[in-house]
Amino acid sequence: MNKRGAWLSAAAKPLALLTYILSLTPGVLDRIADIGGMGGKIAFVGMFALAIIGIVGAAWTRPAWLRWALAILFAVGCWFMESYERSSLDFMTYAVYIDLVNATGFAGDAIEQNSRALTAAIPRALLLLLAIGLKPTGAFQMHGRLGPIVPLVPLAIVALFTGFAFLRGGDGLKGVPGSYPALTYTLLAGYERLTGDLGPREAVAIAQAAKPLYRDIVLLIDESVTAHYLDINSPAGVSSGLTAPSEGITLANFGIAAAITNCSTGSNIALRYAGTRDTYRRDIGVGPSLWTYAKDAGLETVYLDAQRTGGAMQNGMDADELAEIDRFIQFDDVPVVERDMALGEALAELLSDDRSSFIIANKVGAHFPVHDKYPADRALYLPNLAQGGYADIVDTGSRAGFGGSELEWKRYRNSYRNTLAWNTGEFFARFLRDADLSRALVIYTSDHGQDLHEDRHAGTTTHCSSSPRSEEGAVPLVTMQGEGGALDFATNGPASHYMIAPTLLAAMGYERAAVRARYGGALDEPSTDPGTFNTLFNARLNREPQWQKVDEADFVAVPDDGPAKE
């Protein structure tokens, strides 16, 4: 090798490292600009300097096997964080990381829908891989007594950042190189798994006072349906199919109720595990599920899932929970626009068979994107978003192609109305016409509400906000049963998701006083519910949940975004 080739070989590593560090400059400058006060800016610069020292330490680690192991860890962490940030245009917090871990059933959809972001994140990760992994040569070798100490530097800094994030409840790493948040979040999640409310599931400890009060008991959970956009709760609302039920069906509308939280996974998993405001983390970790209660009561357990296909699980469901479900039904060959109709037909059939069942059903509902969740000839509200580009997508976090302008939000709200008119209004028109509710109880709600930017504030987020509007926690809550049903529902006072599990357990025949003492009041009892939803559901480490009241006085009036078709 000539001198020029030898110099290039020796310089490749430091050049790759320098290029990587320079590539971080725009993000670092943006972060410094976001921090208020000189003290905070200085603290961040110090953290960033430590992060770079850690990467340099990894790069100058002498044993090749250890150096390449560190290179792979740091590069994968970099790619993971940047992929998320490119797809969501936001920093990944620890709470979001936990949500992603809990939503592994979405992995296939996420890869398909965000392939560009995943690919675009490769170059910087590859650059970091080479910057750390390439062998240091010539003047860039580490000699003397410092050599054995160098590998400890990146490990010590990762540990330091992990301790810092622990004290901040998982927060505080925005702006540092992406490898560090990814590694830190993984360590924190491992710590929580080892020391948190995890372990063997508890058995049912409440006695049954009677046999189930209904042959079939159903929890029907819609997706992203905000309560004040339905006609049962607002004069300007979309037809819900619930205002004039078929003869022989009794409905009780609890109005605008409070969700458990403003994000899908938290609401769904806490509903399935009967989580309470005070104990939901433990309930989810080790408490008996509603499936367990149902099986102990002699009911078959059935899960209808219109959101996923191919056996993929979602919303925190795992193999252990799946083992408690007797029948797991998805709709693999049904187009997304027809999935809720297929779910309604399957549910009506289940209510007509001879089996006594407890059923949880997740509808497609109205999650982003709403462009194609209704047939083109059912575009009742105009102008709407262009159709044809999202026909096979149930939900996504990507907002590609949607900039959040005033006109785009106007079209979005009209497409959202069209989606509700189809997936809620038409769904219930058919279901209540065809279903036999004479020996059934159905409780209908949504996982969370929506912020549809009626007041024209900036952004493209509809839910899962860290500082949400009240509308994100506002959900419909309706009970349906045959005339003369066993429970007499009184719609007095605020209602919330937290009243659903006690109602279901009462319907299964469990002793009412014990249910009330453990899980709170049911929907057929006088309400003492505070009407709040949890804006920090993934409150972890040393943080506590934050509660926000669903206050209709805070709602922005549903706007007139254009004429409905005659």
Side-chain angles (χ1 to χ4, degrees), residues 244-283:
S246 303
E247 185 178 351
I249 297 176
T250 301
L251 268 62
N253 176 25
F254 291 83
I256 297 175
I260 285 172
T261 185
N262 57 323
C263 220
S264 298
T265 297
S267 288
N268 275 281
I269 195 169
L271 282 169
R272 298 197 310 270
Y273 282 96
T276 75
R277 283 186 174 86
D278 294 330
T279 64
Y280 72 89
R281 287 171 290 191
R282 176 172 173 76
D283 296 332

Short mmCIF file of all heavy atoms in Angstrom, two decimals, residues 244-283:
data_model
loop_
_atom_site.label_atom_id
_atom_site.label_comp_id
_atom_site.label_asym_id
_atom_site.label_seq_id
_atom_site.Cartn_x
_atom_site.Cartn_y
_atom_site.Cartn_z
N ALA A 244 -82.66 5.48 17.41
CA ALA A 244 -83.95 4.81 17.27
C ALA A 244 -83.72 3.32 17.13
O ALA A 244 -83.79 2.75 16.03
CB ALA A 244 -84.71 5.35 16.05
N PRO A 245 -83.43 2.62 18.23
CA PRO A 245 -83.14 1.19 18.16
C PRO A 245 -84.38 0.38 17.77
O PRO A 245 -85.51 0.85 17.87
CB PRO A 245 -82.69 0.85 19.58
CG PRO A 245 -83.35 1.88 20.44
CD PRO A 245 -83.37 3.14 19.60
N SER A 246 -84.12 -0.82 17.32
CA SER A 246 -85.22 -1.70 16.94
C SER A 246 -86.11 -2.01 18.13
O SER A 246 -85.70 -1.90 19.29
CB SER A 246 -84.66 -3.01 16.36
OG SER A 246 -83.82 -2.75 15.27
N GLU A 247 -87.33 -2.38 17.83
CA GLU A 247 -88.29 -2.72 18.89
C GLU A 247 -87.75 -3.87 19.74
O GLU A 247 -87.17 -4.83 19.22
CB GLU A 247 -89.62 -3.10 18.26
CG GLU A 247 -90.72 -3.36 19.29
CD GLU A 247 -92.05 -3.68 18.63
OE1 GLU A 247 -92.14 -3.53 17.39
OE2 GLU A 247 -92.98 -4.07 19.36
N GLY A 248 -87.90 -3.74 21.04
CA GLY A 248 -87.44 -4.78 21.95
C GLY A 248 -86.04 -4.58 22.47
O GLY A 248 -85.53 -5.40 23.24
N ILE A 249 -85.39 -3.48 22.06
CA ILE A 249 -84.03 -3.18 22.53
C ILE A 249 -84.06 -1.92 23.38
O ILE A 249 -84.65 -0.91 23.00
CB ILE A 249 -83.07 -3.01 21.33
CG1 ILE A 249 -82.97 -4.30 20.53
CG2 ILE A 249 -81.69 -2.56 21.82
CD1 ILE A 249 -82.11 -4.19 19.29
N THR A 250 -83.44 -2.00 24.53
CA THR A 250 -83.37 -0.85 25.44
C THR A 250 -81.94 -0.32 25.44
O THR A 250 -80.99 -1.06 25.69
CB THR A 250 -83.76 -1.26 26.87
OG1 THR A 250 -85.09 -1.78 26.84
CG2 THR A 250 -83.69 -0.07 27.80
N LEU A 251 -81.80 0.98 25.17
CA LEU A 251 -80.50 1.64 25.18
C LEU A 251 -80.41 2.62 26.35
O LEU A 251 -81.40 3.26 26.69
CB LEU A 251 -80.26 2.41 23.88
CG LEU A 251 -79.56 1.69 22.73
CD1 LEU A 251 -80.36 0.50 22.25
CD2 LEU A 251 -79.30 2.67 21.58
N ALA A 252 -79.25 2.72 26.94
CA ALA A 252 -78.97 3.75 27.94
C ALA A 252 -77.71 4.49 27.50
O ALA A 252 -76.66 3.87 27.33
CB ALA A 252 -78.77 3.14 29.33
N ASN A 253 -77.86 5.79 27.27
CA ASN A 253 -76.73 6.60 26.81
C ASN A 253 -76.15 7.37 27.99
O ASN A 253 -76.83 8.17 28.62
CB ASN A 253 -77.20 7.57 25.72
CG ASN A 253 -76.10 8.51 25.28
OD1 ASN A 253 -74.91 8.20 25.40
ND2 ASN A 253 -76.47 9.68 24.77
N PHE A 254 -74.87 7.12 28.27
CA PHE A 254 -74.20 7.80 29.38
C PHE A 254 -73.50 9.07 28.94
O PHE A 254 -72.69 9.63 29.68
CB PHE A 254 -73.23 6.83 30.06
CG PHE A 254 -73.92 5.73 30.80
CD1 PHE A 254 -74.35 4.60 30.14
CD2 PHE A 254 -74.19 5.85 32.15
CE1 PHE A 254 -75.02 3.59 30.81
CE2 PHE A 254 -74.86 4.85 32.84
CZ PHE A 254 -75.28 3.72 32.17
N GLY A 255 -73.82 9.52 27.73
CA GLY A 255 -73.34 10.80 27.26
C GLY A 255 -71.85 10.80 26.96
O GLY A 255 -71.29 9.82 26.49
N ILE A 256 -71.23 11.92 27.24
CA ILE A 256 -69.79 12.08 27.00
C ILE A 256 -69.05 11.58 28.22
O ILE A 256 -69.04 12.22 29.27
CB ILE A 256 -69.45 13.54 26.68
CG1 ILE A 256 -70.16 13.96 25.38
CG2 ILE A 256 -67.94 13.72 26.56
CD1 ILE A 256 -69.99 15.41 25.01
N ALA A 257 -68.44 10.42 28.09
CA ALA A 257 -67.76 9.77 29.22
C ALA A 257 -66.26 9.96 29.12
O ALA A 257 -65.72 10.37 28.08
CB ALA A 257 -68.11 8.28 29.23
N ALA A 258 -65.57 9.68 30.21
CA ALA A 258 -64.11 9.81 30.25
C ALA A 258 -63.46 8.48 29.91
O ALA A 258 -63.82 7.43 30.44
CB ALA A 258 -63.66 10.27 31.64
N ALA A 259 -62.47 8.53 29.01
CA ALA A 259 -61.69 7.35 28.68
C ALA A 259 -60.70 7.05 29.80
O ALA A 259 -60.47 7.88 30.69
CB ALA A 259 -60.95 7.56 27.37
N ILE A 260 -60.09 5.88 29.75
CA ILE A 260 -59.00 5.58 30.68
C ILE A 260 -57.82 6.47 30.40
O ILE A 260 -57.25 7.09 31.30
CB ILE A 260 -58.62 4.09 30.58
CG1 ILE A 260 -59.69 3.24 31.28
CG2 ILE A 260 -57.24 3.82 31.20
CD1 ILE A 260 -59.54 1.76 31.09
N THR A 261 -57.46 6.56 29.12
CA THR A 261 -56.38 7.44 28.70
C THR A 261 -56.65 7.84 27.26
O THR A 261 -57.64 7.42 26.67
CB THR A 261 -55.00 6.76 28.86
OG1 THR A 261 -53.96 7.68 28.55
CG2 THR A 261 -54.88 5.53 27.97
N ASN A 262 -55.78 8.66 26.68
CA ASN A 262 -56.02 9.19 25.34
C ASN A 262 -55.19 8.46 24.29
O ASN A 262 -54.91 9.02 23.23
CB ASN A 262 -55.74 10.69 25.30
CG ASN A 262 -54.32 11.05 25.73
OD1 ASN A 262 -53.78 10.44 26.64
ND2 ASN A 262 -53.74 12.05 25.10
N CYS A 263 -54.81 7.22 24.57
CA CYS A 263 -54.05 6.43 23.62
C CYS A 263 -54.60 5.00 23.64
O CYS A 263 -55.02 4.50 24.69
CB CYS A 263 -52.57 6.44 24.00
SG CYS A 263 -51.44 6.56 22.60
N SER A 264 -54.55 4.32 22.48
CA SER A 264 -55.26 3.05 22.31
C SER A 264 -54.78 1.95 23.25
O SER A 264 -55.59 1.28 23.90
CB SER A 264 -55.12 2.56 20.87
OG SER A 264 -55.70 3.48 19.98
N THR A 265 -53.48 1.72 23.31
CA THR A 265 -52.97 0.59 24.06
C THR A 265 -53.37 0.66 25.52
O THR A 265 -53.85 -0.31 26.11
CB THR A 265 -51.44 0.49 23.93
OG1 THR A 265 -51.10 0.27 22.56
CG2 THR A 265 -50.89 -0.64 24.78
N GLY A 266 -53.17 1.83 26.14
CA GLY A 266 -53.49 1.98 27.56
C GLY A 266 -54.95 1.71 27.86
O GLY A 266 -55.29 0.99 28.80
N SER A 267 -55.85 2.31 27.07
CA SER A 267 -57.28 2.12 27.33
C SER A 267 -57.68 0.67 27.16
O SER A 267 -58.39 0.10 27.98
CB SER A 267 -58.10 3.01 26.39
OG SER A 267 -58.01 4.37 26.75
N ASN A 268 -57.23 0.03 26.07
CA ASN A 268 -57.64 -1.34 25.80
C ASN A 268 -57.12 -2.32 26.84
O ASN A 268 -57.88 -3.18 27.33
CB ASN A 268 -57.17 -1.75 24.40
CG ASN A 268 -58.12 -1.33 23.31
OD1 ASN A 268 -59.14 -1.96 23.09
ND2 ASN A 268 -57.79 -0.25 22.64
N ILE A 269 -55.85 -2.21 27.19
CA ILE A 269 -55.31 -3.20 28.13
C ILE A 269 -55.88 -2.99 29.52
O ILE A 269 -56.15 -3.96 30.24
CB ILE A 269 -53.76 -3.17 28.13
CG1 ILE A 269 -53.23 -4.43 28.82
CG2 ILE A 269 -53.21 -1.91 28.78
CD1 ILE A 269 -51.74 -4.62 28.65
N ALA A 270 -56.11 -1.74 29.92
CA ALA A 270 -56.69 -1.49 31.23
C ALA A 270 -58.15 -1.94 31.27
O ALA A 270 -58.63 -2.41 32.32
CB ALA A 270 -56.59 -0.02 31.60
N LEU A 271 -58.87 -1.83 30.17
CA LEU A 271 -60.24 -2.36 30.12
C LEU A 271 -60.23 -3.87 30.27
O LEU A 271 -61.02 -4.44 31.03
CB LEU A 271 -60.91 -1.96 28.81
CG LEU A 271 -61.45 -0.53 28.70
CD1 LEU A 271 -61.84 -0.21 27.27
CD2 LEU A 271 -62.63 -0.33 29.64
N ARG A 272 -59.32 -4.55 29.57
CA ARG A 272 -59.31 -6.02 29.61
C ARG A 272 -58.87 -6.56 30.97
O ARG A 272 -59.27 -7.66 31.36
CB ARG A 272 -58.38 -6.57 28.52
CG ARG A 272 -58.79 -6.22 27.10
CD ARG A 272 -58.11 -7.12 26.09
NE ARG A 272 -56.68 -7.23 26.27
CZ ARG A 272 -55.76 -6.44 25.72
NH1 ARG A 272 -56.16 -5.43 24.96
NH2 ARG A 272 -54.48 -6.65 25.94
N TYR A 273 -58.08 -5.77 31.71
CA TYR A 273 -57.62 -6.22 33.02
C TYR A 273 -58.29 -5.48 34.18
O TYR A 273 -57.81 -5.52 35.30
CB TYR A 273 -56.09 -6.09 33.11
CG TYR A 273 -55.39 -7.21 32.39
CD1 TYR A 273 -54.95 -7.05 31.08
CD2 TYR A 273 -55.22 -8.45 32.98
CE1 TYR A 273 -54.34 -8.09 30.39
CE2 TYR A 273 -54.60 -9.49 32.31
CZ TYR A 273 -54.16 -9.30 31.02
OH TYR A 273 -53.56 -10.34 30.35
N ALA A 274 -59.42 -4.83 33.88
CA ALA A 274 -60.24 -4.21 34.94
C ALA A 274 -59.43 -3.24 35.78
O ALA A 274 -59.55 -3.20 37.00
CB ALA A 274 -60.88 -5.29 35.81
N GLY A 275 -58.59 -2.45 35.12
CA GLY A 275 -57.75 -1.51 35.84
C GLY A 275 -58.55 -0.40 36.51
O GLY A 275 -59.52 0.11 35.95
N THR A 276 -58.15 -0.01 37.71
CA THR A 276 -58.77 1.12 38.41
C THR A 276 -57.81 2.31 38.37
O THR A 276 -56.63 2.17 38.05
CB THR A 276 -59.08 0.78 39.87
OG1 THR A 276 -57.87 0.78 40.63
CG2 THR A 276 -59.77 -0.59 39.98
N ARG A 277 -58.31 3.48 38.72
CA ARG A 277 -57.44 4.65 38.73
C ARG A 277 -56.26 4.49 39.68
O ARG A 277 -55.15 4.94 39.41
CB ARG A 277 -58.24 5.90 39.11
CG ARG A 277 -59.12 6.45 37.99
CD ARG A 277 -59.78 7.76 38.41
NE ARG A 277 -60.49 8.36 37.29
CZ ARG A 277 -61.74 8.08 36.95
NH1 ARG A 277 -62.41 7.16 37.67
NH2 ARG A 277 -62.31 8.66 35.93
N ASP A 278 -56.49 3.82 40.81
CA ASP A 278 -55.44 3.71 41.83
C ASP A 278 -54.50 2.54 41.59
O ASP A 278 -53.34 2.57 42.03
CB ASP A 278 -56.06 3.57 43.22
CG ASP A 278 -56.81 4.82 43.65
OD1 ASP A 278 -56.42 5.92 43.22
OD2 ASP A 278 -57.80 4.68 44.39
N THR A 279 -54.98 1.50 40.91
CA THR A 279 -54.19 0.25 40.86
C THR A 279 -53.98 -0.28 39.45
O THR A 279 -53.60 -1.44 39.29
CB THR A 279 -54.88 -0.84 41.71
OG1 THR A 279 -56.17 -1.15 41.13
CG2 THR A 279 -55.07 -0.39 43.14
N TYR A 280 -54.19 0.53 38.41
CA TYR A 280 -54.20 -0.05 37.06
C TYR A 280 -52.86 -0.68 36.68
O TYR A 280 -52.83 -1.68 35.96
CB TYR A 280 -54.62 1.00 36.03
CG TYR A 280 -53.61 2.10 35.74
CD1 TYR A 280 -52.64 1.94 34.75
CD2 TYR A 280 -53.62 3.29 36.44
CE1 TYR A 280 -51.72 2.93 34.47
CE2 TYR A 280 -52.71 4.29 36.18
CZ TYR A 280 -51.76 4.11 35.20
OH TYR A 280 -50.84 5.11 34.94
N ARG A 281 -51.75 -0.11 37.16
CA ARG A 281 -50.45 -0.70 36.79
C ARG A 281 -50.30 -2.10 37.38
O ARG A 281 -49.83 -3.02 36.69
CB ARG A 281 -49.32 0.23 37.26
CG ARG A 281 -49.21 1.49 36.40
CD ARG A 281 -48.27 2.51 36.99
NE ARG A 281 -48.80 3.12 38.19
CZ ARG A 281 -48.27 4.19 38.78
NH1 ARG A 281 -47.18 4.74 38.27
NH2 ARG A 281 -48.80 4.70 39.87
N ARG A 282 -50.71 -2.28 38.61
CA ARG A 282 -50.67 -3.62 39.21
C ARG A 282 -51.72 -4.54 38.58
O ARG A 282 -51.46 -5.71 38.35
CB ARG A 282 -50.87 -3.52 40.72
CG ARG A 282 -50.94 -4.88 41.38
CD ARG A 282 -50.96 -4.83 42.89
NE ARG A 282 -51.19 -6.15 43.45
CZ ARG A 282 -50.27 -7.11 43.52
NH1 ARG A 282 -49.07 -6.88 43.06
NH2 ARG A 282 -50.56 -8.29 44.02
N ASP A 283 -52.90 -4.00 38.32
CA ASP A 283 -53.96 -4.82 37.71
C ASP A 283 -53.49 -5.39 36.37
O ASP A 283 -53.70 -6.57 36.08
CB ASP A 283 -55.22 -3.97 37.49
CG ASP A 283 -55.83 -3.48 38.79
OD1 ASP A 283 -55.65 -4.15 39.81
OD2 ASP A 283 -56.47 -2.41 38.77
#
